[in-house]
Amino acid sequence: MKLIIQPDDGVAPVVRAIEKAKKTVDIVIFRFDRREVEQALKAAVARNVVVRALIAHTNKGGERRLRKLEQRLLDAGVTVARTADDLARYHGKLMIIDGGCLHLYGFNYTKLDIDQSRSFGIVTRDRRIVQEALKLFEADALRQNYTPGHNRLVVSPENSRALLTAFLKGAKKQLLIYDTQVSDNAIQKVLQERARAGVEIRIIGALEKSLNDVKVRRLADLRLHVRTIVRDRSSAFIGSQSLRKLELEGRREVGIIITHGHIVRKIQAVFEQDWQRRSRKQVA
């Protein structure tokens, strides 16, 4: 398992993964303006790699761009499918290489997300998780129902509330949270209960309600575009879903629960650096 840290790592890990593909690339797209990634996908088709792109039926302010992207990819020989309109948004960000390597991102394929925002991505070859992600891709591409089959792949709206609630409730000492807007009432009750039990809780982002003993800070000098939770220095969640009701219950969001200690420690180190970060305005 590998960790991608944005904006430090940039677009290179995405492009390299596509360039190394030998048989297949399956990619889910919500927002997209990275020409390097588009060119890599077209080059993959040219060397006889089967490329399938599942593109969101809509996104706020960018539907025309999505339709133009669809046409360009179709012209290049990519198999293109469009998500259904049964959910408010299809907001997950994932890519599967050769059916055996999953890239799951908190960022979109955009300059804003990759070059100017704090975000993370995970690369894993865990066979069962990769197969589960493929099952999800196939279900959404064919507009069929998806039934979760792995308790570490967090998929909204099917299992995210249950898995993330259990993940938070399992905290014994500490919760470190990146989230642009924690606002779900049930989740906030869990956080308050954990804080009362003596769990240290710090949030970089925003919290709808002020909770006793829960500390909140804005991220300085970077745009925040990641949803991540580190629990007790031993496990972590990275995904596309905020702890908001809509993203838990009304949209397609995808995340992963991580138990690899070295990955968790890296995420925690970045969090601590960001927690201590002072904006340039404060320093000036």
Side-chain angles (χ1 to χ4, degrees):
M1 183 173 282
K2 296 180 181 179
L3 177 68
I4 297 171
I5 303 171
Q6 302 296 13
D8 306 55
D9 291 331
V11 74
V14 181
V15 173
R16 282 198 302 267
I18 298 169
E19 289 176 343
K20 290 180 179 179
K22 294 180 173 58
K23 296 179 180 180
T24 60
V25 175
D26 296 317
I27 185 170
V28 178
I29 296 170
F30 178 69
R31 291 189 186 277
F32 192 106
D33 67 14
R34 297 303 302 230
R35 184 170 180 82
E36 310 98 313
V37 177
E38 185 173 340
Q39 292 302 318
L41 292 172
K42 291 177 179 179
V45 174
R47 63 176 188 273
N48 297 318
V49 173
V50 175
V51 178
R52 298 188 297 174
L54 176 59
I55 300 178
H57 72 278
T58 188
N59 67 38
K60 187 177 181 180
E63 189 168 347
R64 183 177 296 181
R65 289 184 179 181
L66 289 179
R67 303 294 80 85
K68 288 182 178 179
L69 174 64
E70 284 180 352
Q71 191 57 57
R72 293 198 304 273
L73 293 178
L74 284 167
D75 291 344
V78 174
T79 300
V80 175
R82 192 179 301 175
T83 62
D85 58 4
D86 56 328
L87 297 172
R89 287 185 184 179
Y90 278 73
H91 187 244
K93 309 104 168 43
L94 60 86
M95 180 171 67
I96 306 164
I97 304 296
D98 292 335
C101 182
L102 170 64
H103 287 235
L104 196 151
Y105 304 138
F107 52 89
N108 293 293
Y109 307 98
T110 66
K111 295 176 182 177
L112 180 61
D113 279 12
I114 293 175
D115 296 340
Q116 302 176 40
S117 306
R118 169 65 74 224
S119 197
F120 297 111
I122 285 292
V123 181
T124 180
R125 293 183 177 275
D126 184 299
R127 186 180 62 81
R128 289 183 58 222
I129 293 178
V130 176
Q131 289 302 307
E132 189 66 22
L134 274 171
K135 186 176 81 171
L136 173 63
F137 182 93
E138 296 284 357
D140 283 349
L142 297 174
R143 301 190 179 189
Q144 297 176 347
N145 291 333
Y146 165 74
T147 301
H150 199 293
N151 62 7
R152 285 176 53 209
L153 192 69
V154 182
V155 181
S156 298
E158 281 78 5
N159 68 5
S160 58
R161 178 173 291 281
L163 290 181
L164 291 177
T165 298
F167 187 78
L168 293 169
K169 284 185 174 181
K172 299 294 190 294
K173 296 180 180 179
Q174 186 183 66
L175 287 167
L176 306 178
I177 301 172
Y178 284 103
D179 201 311
T180 55
Q181 181 63 63
V182 179
S183 61
D184 182 80
N185 288 336
I187 292 293
Q188 289 180 96
K189 288 180 181 178
V190 171
L191 293 177
Q192 186 66 90
E193 185 273 330
R194 288 290 79 208
R196 287 172 180 163
V199 174
E200 175 198 3
I201 302 177
R202 286 183 279 152
I203 298 172
I204 294 178
L207 178 64
E208 182 187 52
K209 301 173 183 177
S210 178
L211 301 177
N212 292 334
D213 298 319
V214 176
K215 298 178 181 179
V216 183
R217 289 185 184 178
R218 295 285 183 178
L219 179 62
D221 293 334
L222 278 175
R223 174 175 175 264
L224 180 61
H225 194 269
V226 66
R227 287 77 165 167
T228 295
I229 306 167
V230 179
R231 185 183 74 182
D232 293 339
R233 304 174 183 267
S234 61
S235 56
F237 161 80
I238 292 176
S240 67
Q241 53 264 77
S242 288
L243 298 172
R244 297 196 300 149
K245 183 175 181 179
L246 178 62
E247 297 189 25
L248 295 174
E249 297 183 359
R251 302 180 4 170
R252 169 68 78 238
E253 310 279 359
V254 188
I256 187 170
I257 293 174
I258 304 152
T259 56
H260 289 63
H262 69 290
I263 298 292
V264 176
R265 287 190 292 273
K266 285 183 180 180
I267 299 169
Q268 176 142 6
V270 175
F271 184 97
E272 295 293 358
Q273 291 170 6
D274 286 343
W275 186 260
Q276 298 300 328
R277 183 192 296 265
R278 297 178 64 197
S279 71
R280 294 186 182 92
K281 291 180 181 179
Q282 289 174 313
V283 173

